[in-house]
Amino acid sequence: MIRVRKFDGSLEAYNRKKIVAFCLRMGASKGEAKAIADRVEGRLYDKIQTKNILQMARRYVARYQPKVRLRRDLRSAISLLRSKPDWELFVQHLMSEIGFEVEGNRILRGKCVENEVDGVLRKNAQTIMLEVKHHAAPHTKTRLDIPREVRSIFEDLTEGFTLGYHDIDFTDALIVCNTKFTTEAKKYADCRGIGRLSWKDPAERGLEVIIEEEKFYPITILREVDKKMKTTLGDNGIIVLKQIIDADLKKLAAKTGIREERLEGLERNARKLLVG
Amino acid sequence: MIRVRKFDGSLEAYNRKKIVAFCLRMGASKGEAKAIADRVEGRLYDKIQTKNILQMARRYVARYQPKVRLRRDLRSAISLLRSKPDWELFVQHLMSEIGFEVEGNRILRGKCVENEVDGVLRKNAQTIMLEVKHHAAPHTKTRLDIPREVRSIFEDLTEGFTLGYHDIDFTDALIVCNTKFTTEAKKYADCRGIGRLSWKDPAERGLEVIIEEEKFYPITILREVDKKMKTTLGDNGIIVLKQIIDADLKKLAAKTGIREERLEGLERNARKLLVG
């Protein structure tokens, strides 16, 4: 049996489905994905690193779908966003895209202290306290301390509302994070009714599925967006590819100091990824 | 007016009382403390750093009380203890010294998850959940996230008790920390009834007062205890000076590999500090 060494150093049995799913996510057709999985399997060896398998698959996908060369994988792309304000804004925009009415960060007086929330989401009868979390290292898990804190903030704010200290009647809390939660953190959040949206979590429709469905790619998905450009664009509120396509590039060039030709190149590649 | 620059960079008016109190804490008599404050005041200048004033005072105290040369100041000494297990054990011992019945760390099943507590303290009708916190940098403050987490753990454990998941009926929670709390963290803890014991907090009887009253000095108060010796002794459960005096030095030397003569020197200096 071929075993695969994961990012955390642990071993697990090779799973063909994961490769096929990865190729589909990278834009391959079903037939292409299967053919790629066959080719990858011809080159496996025991204890091969996940990273190496994915690089291999990625290279094969690029032969069928050249535009793949333009992009980073989604997981790296979102981990490259800055925690503040990029990731916070990204999540707020994404939530709005999937049908929530979104209010940006607020400082609200709870029973005991002032609490900062990263957003207020509304849909039907729900009013959700949003807590956003970002890890620059995509394999750092969100631990128990985060849902514990959210629980205390939620308590403080709902009691503060009852006391008339602020006017938002929160019904729920939600943590949106770019990385996975630890098992204990999930258990605690489930037990306390705190919602989670993160990498492959919930399993049936995690963050990565929503982003792919909405093609709500961060600008960092383009390989040509380096640290400096990410910062300049982020400082000007440009965080997702769609914004580049919608922008008036002449004005954006004037505002950011990035050459207009470079922005045009960016827009061209953004279109290739989005339209595909 | 002479202003003093504090560790955090802020300025405040020079306060003679603080110098006198410092000298008393270092072992000077009242008369000596006043004389030292006079001498210090002769050498002040605007925006002098707190650190420099204390060094000056310390030097003067050493002229009156030569044993002062043997010791570090208490604040540095406790920050030099390792978070685990030293500081945890130190706090457990200290609590026992001031009349609590102390049980060491436990893992207890709450309503949602297993929670680790750093100790269980009992006195009269109180059963206290102990949370211990340690910062290696003595000026790092303990922030709001800590009491928020403690609040969630306390909730989970009291609900777990009601459900019959464990058998400790906690009535209170207490955070013991070697550094100060932020204003917000204090406000939150007070509001939620979480006890605090830390540097100069509570104001009338903070951690530093209790340690001085009980002469419950950590071994790191002796200047001759370097990193290696601290680690070796700590690994063998020796954390406070009193333990050195009570120990069988021959056996301790055999167990730790520290030369017996060195331990004898340590004991001599420990006695000088403890005996007055």
Side-chain angles (χ1 to χ4, degrees):
Chain A
M1 189 183 75
I2 298 279
R3 289 164 302 173
V4 169
R5 187 170 300 281
K6 295 170 71 181
F7 287 89
D8 63 5
S10 65
L11 291 173
E12 69 173 24
Y14 166 74
N15 183 344
R16 179 180 171 93
K17 276 186 195 157
K18 289 193 174 181
I19 304 302
V20 172
F22 174 79
C23 296
L24 294 173
R25 276 210 311 279
M26 292 294 286
S29 71
K30 266 195 184 170
E32 287 165 358
K34 283 182 188 168
I36 291 167
D38 287 340
R39 297 183 74 159
V40 166
E41 282 165 18
R43 296 185 55 189
L44 290 182
Y45 49 88
D46 196 31
K47 299 189 189 172
I48 184 173
Q49 289 192 9
T50 309
K51 198 174 59 181
N52 293 341
I53 297 190
L54 296 184
Q55 270 171 1
M56 223 192 287
R58 182 194 175 83
R59 237 175 8 247
Y60 291 138
V61 175
R63 291 190 197 162
Y64 295 106
Q65 305 278 350
K67 73 180 180 192
V68 162
R69 290 184 220 277
L70 299 174
R71 62 172 279 184
R72 295 192 176 93
D73 69 287
L74 182 57
R75 189 161 175 159
S76 307
I78 58 179
S79 74
L80 283 170
L81 289 175
R82 296 175 297 179
S83 294
K84 285 201 176 196
D86 301 2
W87 175 246
E88 223 172 87
L89 276 172
F90 180 84
V91 172
Q92 290 169 2
H93 284 336
L94 181 66
M95 290 294 137
S96 163
E97 196 84 3
I98 61 176
F100 287 94
E101 188 193 311
V102 178
E103 215 180 314
N105 12 10
R106 290 280 302 270
I107 292 178
L108 299 169
R109 186 176 161 202
K111 181 186 172 191
C112 296
V113 284
E114 302 218 302
N115 299 275
E116 196 181 339
V117 300
D118 297 329
V120 182
L121 313 179
R122 290 189 177 87
K123 198 185 214 173
N124 308 326
Q126 280 189 306
T127 303
I128 304 174
M129 180 188 116
L130 174 67
E131 173 83 14
V132 153
K133 196 78 204 153
H134 185 270
H135 293 290
H139 294 283
T140 304
K141 288 193 175 175
T142 290
R143 299 163 62 93
L144 193 46
D145 54 330
I146 301 302
R148 275 178 175 157
E149 275 183 67
V150 167
R151 168 76 180 166
S152 299
I153 298 172
F154 185 73
E155 174 193 51
D156 208 38
L157 285 179
T158 48
E159 292 183 9
F161 173 77
T162 306
L163 292 165
Y165 293 166
H166 69 88
D167 59 356
I168 305 183
D169 189 6
F170 288 111
T171 57
D172 296 274
L174 172 71
I175 305 173
V176 181
C177 176
N178 65 319
T179 67
K180 294 181 179 178
F181 285 65
T182 65
T183 309
E184 287 300 287
K186 280 190 205 174
K187 210 163 129 188
Y188 181 83
D190 286 346
C191 176
R192 293 290 169 199
I194 298 168
R196 300 188 317 265
L197 179 61
S198 71
W199 193 258
K200 295 199 180 165
D201 180 20
E204 66 287 359
R205 194 172 147 80
L207 183 66
E208 79 293 352
V209 173
I210 294 178
I211 294 176
E212 289 289 350
E213 278 179 7
E214 308 288 330
K215 294 199 183 277
F216 200 76
Y217 298 127
I219 50 171
T220 43
I221 199 130
L222 285 176
R223 288 188 169 233
E224 68 196 282
V225 173
D226 57 15
K227 197 169 169 190
K228 192 171 165 222
M229 184 173 263
K230 166 184 85 177
T231 306
T232 310
L233 290 173
D235 288 347
N236 285 279
I238 307 280
I239 303 150
V240 291
L241 283 196
K242 290 183 178 182
Q243 289 175 298
I244 304 243
I245 291 176
D246 294 341
D248 178 324
L249 297 188
K250 201 180 275 304
K251 284 186 188 161
L252 188 59
K255 226 169 83 175
T256 59
I258 301 172
R259 281 186 303 111
E260 202 181 330
E261 302 80 67
R262 189 143 183 227
L263 289 174
E264 281 166 2
L266 218 58
E267 192 201 4
R268 248 191 327 273
N269 289 334
R271 280 187 196 280
K272 280 187 199 156
L273 282 194
L274 291 183
V275 178
Chain B
M1 188 183 71
I2 299 278
R3 290 162 301 171
V4 170
R5 188 170 300 281
K6 297 170 71 181
F7 287 89
D8 63 5
S10 65
L11 290 172
E12 71 173 22
Y14 166 76
N15 182 346
R16 180 180 170 94
K17 277 186 195 155
K18 289 193 175 182
I19 305 301
V20 172
F22 174 79
C23 296
L24 293 173
R25 276 210 310 280
M26 294 294 287
S29 71
K30 268 196 182 168
E32 287 164 359
K34 284 181 187 167
I36 291 167
D38 287 341
R39 296 184 74 160
V40 166
E41 283 165 14
R43 296 185 56 188
L44 289 181
Y45 49 87
D46 195 33
K47 299 189 190 172
I48 184 173
Q49 289 191 9
T50 309
K51 197 173 60 180
N52 294 341
I53 298 190
L54 296 184
Q55 271 170 2
M56 224 191 287
R58 182 194 176 82
R59 239 177 6 249
Y60 291 137
V61 175
R63 292 190 195 160
Y64 295 105
Q65 305 278 351
K67 71 179 182 194
V68 162
R69 288 184 221 277
L70 300 174
R71 61 171 282 182
R72 296 192 176 93
D73 68 288
L74 183 57
R75 189 162 176 159
S76 307
I78 59 178
S79 74
L80 283 170
L81 289 175
R82 295 175 298 178
S83 293
K84 287 200 174 196
D86 301 2
W87 176 245
E88 222 172 87
L89 276 171
F90 180 85
V91 173
Q92 290 169 3
H93 284 337
L94 181 67
M95 289 295 139
S96 164
E97 197 83 3
I98 60 176
F100 287 94
E101 188 193 312
V102 178
E103 218 180 313
N105 11 11
R106 292 280 303 270
I107 292 179
L108 299 170
R109 185 174 161 205
K111 181 185 172 192
C112 297
V113 285
E114 302 216 304
N115 298 275
E116 196 181 340
V117 301
D118 296 330
V120 182
L121 312 179
R122 291 190 177 86
K123 199 184 212 173
N124 308 327
Q126 280 189 307
T127 303
I128 304 174
M129 181 188 116
L130 173 67
E131 174 83 12
V132 152
K133 196 77 203 154
H134 185 270
H135 293 290
H139 293 284
T140 305
K141 290 193 175 176
T142 291
R143 299 163 63 94
L144 191 47
D145 53 332
I146 302 300
R148 275 177 175 158
E149 275 183 66
V150 167
R151 167 77 180 168
S152 299
I153 298 171
F154 185 74
E155 174 193 51
D156 208 38
L157 285 180
T158 48
E159 292 184 9
F161 173 76
T162 307
L163 292 166
Y165 294 166
H166 69 87
D167 59 356
I168 305 182
D169 189 7
F170 287 111
T171 58
D172 295 275
L174 172 71
I175 305 174
V176 181
C177 175
N178 65 319
T179 67
K180 294 181 180 179
F181 286 65
T182 65
T183 309
E184 286 300 287
K186 281 191 208 174
K187 209 163 132 188
Y188 181 82
D190 285 347
C191 176
R192 294 290 170 198
I194 298 168
R196 299 188 318 265
L197 179 62
S198 71
W199 193 259
K200 296 199 179 165
D201 180 22
E204 66 287 0
R205 195 173 146 79
L207 183 66
E208 79 294 352
V209 173
I210 294 179
I211 294 177
E212 288 289 352
E213 278 180 5
E214 306 289 330
K215 293 200 181 278
F216 200 77
Y217 297 127
I219 51 172
T220 42
I221 198 130
L222 284 177
R223 288 189 169 230
E224 69 197 282
V225 173
D226 57 14
K227 196 169 171 190
K228 193 170 164 223
M229 182 172 267
K230 166 184 86 177
T231 306
T232 311
L233 290 174
D235 287 347
N236 286 278
I238 307 279
I239 303 150
V240 291
L241 283 195
K242 291 183 179 185
Q243 289 175 296
I244 303 239
I245 291 175
D246 292 341
D248 178 326
L249 298 187
K250 201 181 277 303
K251 285 185 187 161
L252 188 59
K255 228 171 80 178
T256 58
I258 301 172
R259 280 185 305 109
E260 203 181 329
E261 303 80 69
R262 191 144 182 225
L263 289 174
E264 281 166 2
L266 218 58
E267 192 200 4
R268 249 192 324 274
N269 289 334
R271 280 187 196 279
K272 281 188 199 154
L273 282 192
L274 292 183
V275 179

